[in-house]
Amino acid sequence: MAAALPRNGDLADQLELLADLSEILGEQPFRVLAYRRAAARIRDTAASVAELALAGTARELPGIGKTIEAKIVEAVESGEMQALSRRRAQVPGEVASFMRLPGLGPKTAARIWRELGVTTLAGLREAAERQRLRALPGFGQKSEEKILRALAEGAAAGEPRRGLLGSGLPLLREVVEALRAHPAAVEVSEAGSVRRRKETFRDLDVIATAADPAALTAHFVALPWVLEVVAHGDSKATVITKQGLRLDLRVAAPESYGDLLQHFTGSKEHNVALREEAQRGGLSVSEYGVTVSETGEVRTFRDEESLYAFLGYAFIPPELRESAGELEAARTGTLPHLVELADLKGDMHCHSSWSADGRASIEEMARAAAARGYRFLCLTDHSHSLRDGRIEAQWEEIAAVNERVAPFRVLRGVEANITAKGDVDLADEVLEQLDWVVASLHTSFDRSPTERILAAIESPHVDCIGHLSGRRLSRRRGADVDVERIVARAAETRTALEINAQPERLDMRDVHARLAGEAGVLVPVDSDAHTTQALAYAELGIGQARRAWLTKDQVLNTRTWAQIAKMRG
DNA sequence: GCCGTTTTCGGCCCGACTGTTTTCAGTCG
């Protein structure tokens, strides 16, 4: 077998570093921008870009041309792009990491290196302590203090920590409610990446209009969960919460609420693409309004619908605003009608106390699901908890519960483990008596994960693959699975691929779920709940499904169990 | 370095804040 191809993430990292080093070396800014755009595109591509480049088709991706495609081929064949190796030889190792310090960009990093001869983070700390940095023009005492503080906090060490959507969304909603309750507030909305339901966030954004903006921002910085006020003006404030989350409020005039909300919902890439398009039509878009270049007339919009309409687009749901084809679809009237939380009729992956880590009884889970408006629940306790005849005992309990909760229905399921050899760890005689079999990787993620998942898909008893990559956000990156092959085979065998809605999983990720949907794979949105409360994670999974452009039809559990059983024949 | 219903050449989103400044570059979102 050939050596593994570099992952999209690895290629994107190389291009990002190439961009950083090029910038420090003072090269053409637009080339740097091109590297960064290509990196972002590669990260959000489901297919293996290494494979595409080898086939000569990577250049069909927007933002990737002949030159960058050739660089990717180099990286595949030799491990690293030559352009990157060359610049690495020119710029000392840690200079690029200077740029991770807040307020410190490429220009400043270059000057610290070239003019002061500082090449390491330790050297940078020493230079700041000895007040050598202020020798640089435009540098003073405050800049030195800021750098020392950031170094002490370990800001340069690695990636900035991101919060999980599952923890940010509830807090953001509390803030929105608290602001709405204030008499000066007119309209209040969540914004930013959380509004787009992106799986992780850097900060939480809130937008408002108010009769008295200063009163509202004053109320905001005095909310009970505020630990520290970072900035506080009449129209804008930033605070740090007691959980260490960064919270931003922007207040605007009611007549340009739509402009502001659109701007602060992002994504940055969506806004850049939107504005570039608008500019070609002689319009300049900002958070304050749309300026007609020829006349200088400024149009403002009270809501996003009318802003998008004025620019020639259908309303684009926030979850789609990632510059991934949504602008074209909105212009041509081909946006999908996205699935909604209320469409769900059941949950197809959850656990009871029959699993070692489950907390609620079967009946408690069933009643909680019914209370959410569901009609059925596939109970999928772990296979290793159901050995030695326990599964038959569980079936008896399921039957008894079903009598008590009818017409709600609990189905006999299991979450089986895909072993290191690629087997499903339950006997066929047991599997064939089950209504719903989820098979998942739980261990040995680096041992041929693709082949093991494909083997599970081939089993006639496996109905669905659980949490495809096994990733844990901000803890463990997922298995390096060949999603294209798995999706293709899942489509042929009519095996479902779930979106697991656990806050730290959200697995499949958005671009992979989109690929699955396009291939005709049915995607259940599952909570993987181990408690009754965790059934509510379905909302996060629906956000992920919407980010994947999925419609109601493409999400399997928008159907009743009777409909699903009929479909499966 | 990429890209094109004004362009294969000449563009490339937009505005605010920060620190150190008498008019701005650099950085950020």
Side-chain angles (χ1 to χ4, degrees):
Chain A
M1 193 176 133
L5 294 174
R7 292 169 173 236
N8 289 355
D10 299 332
L11 292 171
D13 287 346
Q14 286 198 29
L15 280 167
E16 285 282 6
L17 183 57
L18 177 58
D20 287 348
L21 297 178
S22 303
E23 213 171 10
I24 288 168
L25 289 167
E27 297 178 31
Q28 295 157 7
F30 290 112
R31 194 160 63 191
V32 172
L33 180 66
Y35 293 148
R36 293 203 196 284
R37 284 184 167 181
R41 178 63 54 197
I42 291 169
R43 241 182 259 287
D44 284 339
T45 296
S48 160
V49 175
E51 265 179 46
L52 296 179
L54 289 176
T57 53
R59 68 184 72 174
E60 290 169 15
L61 295 168
I64 296 180
K66 223 165 68 176
T67 312
I68 290 182
E69 182 176 270
K71 287 180 163 49
I72 294 168
V73 171
E74 276 176 13
V76 173
E77 288 174 348
S78 70
E80 186 166 294
M81 300 169 191
Q82 282 178 35
L84 176 57
S85 308
R86 268 201 311 276
R87 285 169 182 81
R88 272 220 246 239
Q90 290 178 65
V91 183
E94 289 186 4
V95 173
S97 61
F98 293 178
M99 286 172 62
R100 296 213 196 97
L101 296 166
L104 217 161
K107 299 276 165 64
T108 318
R111 279 185 10 209
I112 292 171
W113 161 42
R114 290 193 198 270
E115 294 175 28
L116 300 177
V118 173
T119 58
T120 62
L121 290 166
L124 180 61
R125 180 190 312 250
E126 198 188 319
E129 281 167 353
R130 297 195 176 179
Q131 310 189 344
R132 287 177 58 212
L133 295 181
R134 63 185 69 176
L136 297 172
F139 243 82
Q141 187 183 341
K142 279 199 171 174
S143 314
E144 284 173 345
E145 285 168 1
K146 216 165 108 180
I147 285 175
L148 283 174
R149 206 163 45 230
L151 282 171
E153 289 165 4
E159 295 298 301
R161 247 174 294 146
R162 295 182 66 92
L164 296 180
L165 174 64
S167 50
L169 185 57
L171 173 66
L172 191 55
R173 284 187 171 143
E174 271 188 68
V175 174
V176 167
E177 285 313 308
L179 292 177
R180 273 191 189 139
H182 191 272
V186 179
E187 284 184 275
V188 185
S189 171
E190 56 184 90
S193 67
V194 172
R195 182 167 181 240
R196 303 197 313 276
R197 299 294 186 262
K198 194 174 160 71
E199 60 204 24
T200 59
F201 63 89
R202 189 169 44 196
D203 50 26
L204 302 171
D205 295 296
V206 190
I207 296 298
T209 58
D212 179 357
L216 194 64
T217 52
H219 177 58
F220 173 73
V221 300
L223 289 171
W225 45 76
V226 171
L227 177 70
E228 183 192 340
V229 179
V230 179
H232 176 197
D234 284 354
S235 65
K236 179 185 161 185
T238 299
V239 301
I240 307 291
T241 71
K242 288 172 181 164
Q243 301 108 302
L245 303 178
R246 192 187 170 89
L247 205 49
D248 279 324
L249 169 68
R250 289 280 184 144
V251 188
E255 57 269 23
S256 57
Y257 179 66
D259 301 282
L260 194 76
L261 180 58
Q262 196 284 327
H263 174 80
F264 281 103
T265 295
S267 68
K268 184 171 166 240
E269 289 75 17
H270 172 84
N271 286 351
V272 167
L274 179 86
R275 288 165 183 203
E276 282 179 354
E277 283 244 6
Q279 222 194 25
R280 286 196 278 274
L283 301 170
S284 172
V285 180
S286 84
E287 60 264 51
Y288 299 106
V290 180
T291 307
V292 182
S293 309
E294 228 166 65
T295 62
E297 180 205 0
V298 178
R299 298 281 305 263
T300 58
F301 298 90
R302 288 182 171 269
D303 53 60
E304 289 184 321
E305 285 81 355
S306 51
L307 170 60
Y308 277 111
F310 179 75
L311 295 174
Y313 303 103
F315 174 75
I316 301 174
E319 294 93 334
L320 297 188
R321 300 182 195 170
E322 298 291 345
S323 191
E326 73 279 7
L327 287 169
E328 196 193 345
R331 209 171 36 239
T332 55
T334 52
L335 281 173
H337 186 74
L338 300 179
V339 63
E340 292 172 19
L341 183 60
D343 293 330
L344 290 183
K345 295 211 166 53
D347 197 319
M348 306 185 78
H349 181 170
C350 72
H351 299 264
S352 72
S353 48
W354 283 84
S355 292
D357 51 359
R359 290 288 168 269
S361 69
I362 296 175
E363 182 159 352
E364 286 166 340
M365 292 299 288
R367 293 196 184 279
R372 291 182 58 78
Y374 292 166
R375 313 269 289 276
F376 74 95
L377 188 65
C378 295
L379 189 70
T380 54
D381 281 306
H382 292 292
S383 48
H384 54 77
S385 303
L386 297 171
R387 298 233 173 83
D388 307 320
R390 291 189 82 221
I391 200 162
E392 284 84 4
Q394 193 210 38
W395 291 345
E396 283 177 25
E397 185 174 329
I398 290 174
V401 168
N402 271 331
E403 285 187 18
R404 294 196 291 273
V405 299
F408 186 89
R409 194 149 167 227
V410 181
L411 283 308
R412 291 178 179 182
V414 75
E415 182 181 15
N417 190 34
I418 301 175
T419 67
K421 285 169 60 188
D423 301 322
V424 175
D425 69 343
L426 270 185
D428 284 350
E429 305 86 78
V430 178
L431 292 173
E432 67 192 15
Q433 298 182 65
L434 293 166
D435 298 307
W436 186 247
V437 175
V438 179
S440 317
L441 290 186
H442 289 105
T443 52
S444 311
F445 296 101
D446 54 352
R447 289 177 60 181
S448 313
T450 303
E451 303 307 324
R452 286 157 65 202
I453 291 169
L454 286 172
I457 287 176
E458 295 307 324
S459 161
H461 303 301
V462 170
D463 300 299
C464 180
I465 300 298
H467 48 73
L468 187 60
S469 78
R471 72 176 183 175
R472 293 292 181 104
L473 290 167
S474 67
R475 281 213 291 140
R476 169 177 85 207
R477 77 180 203 175
D480 187 11
V481 292
D482 185 336
V483 178
E484 282 183 291
R485 276 176 71 199
I486 289 168
V487 162
R489 196 60 195 136
E492 286 162 5
T493 58
R494 300 175 66 198
T495 305
L497 300 175
E498 80 171 358
I499 288 177
N500 186 298
Q502 292 258 324
E504 64 167 14
R505 289 192 187 274
L506 287 173
D507 186 10
M508 298 178 280
R509 59 170 293 209
D510 46 15
V511 295
H512 292 158
R514 185 174 175 184
L515 191 74
E518 287 168 354
V521 173
L522 290 170
V523 179
V525 172
D526 293 330
S527 70
D528 194 359
H530 290 64
T531 64
T532 53
Q533 300 91 322
L535 288 166
Y537 290 152
E539 184 188 8
L540 306 177
I542 286 291
Q544 185 94 335
R546 290 167 62 86
R547 290 178 58 79
W549 293 55
L550 298 184
T551 63
K552 181 178 175 181
D553 280 349
Q554 291 171 309
V555 173
L556 180 60
N557 48 334
T558 57
R559 298 164 178 82
T560 62
W561 181 256
Q563 289 169 324
I564 292 169
K566 193 171 159 195
M567 276 174 64
R568 299 162 74 214

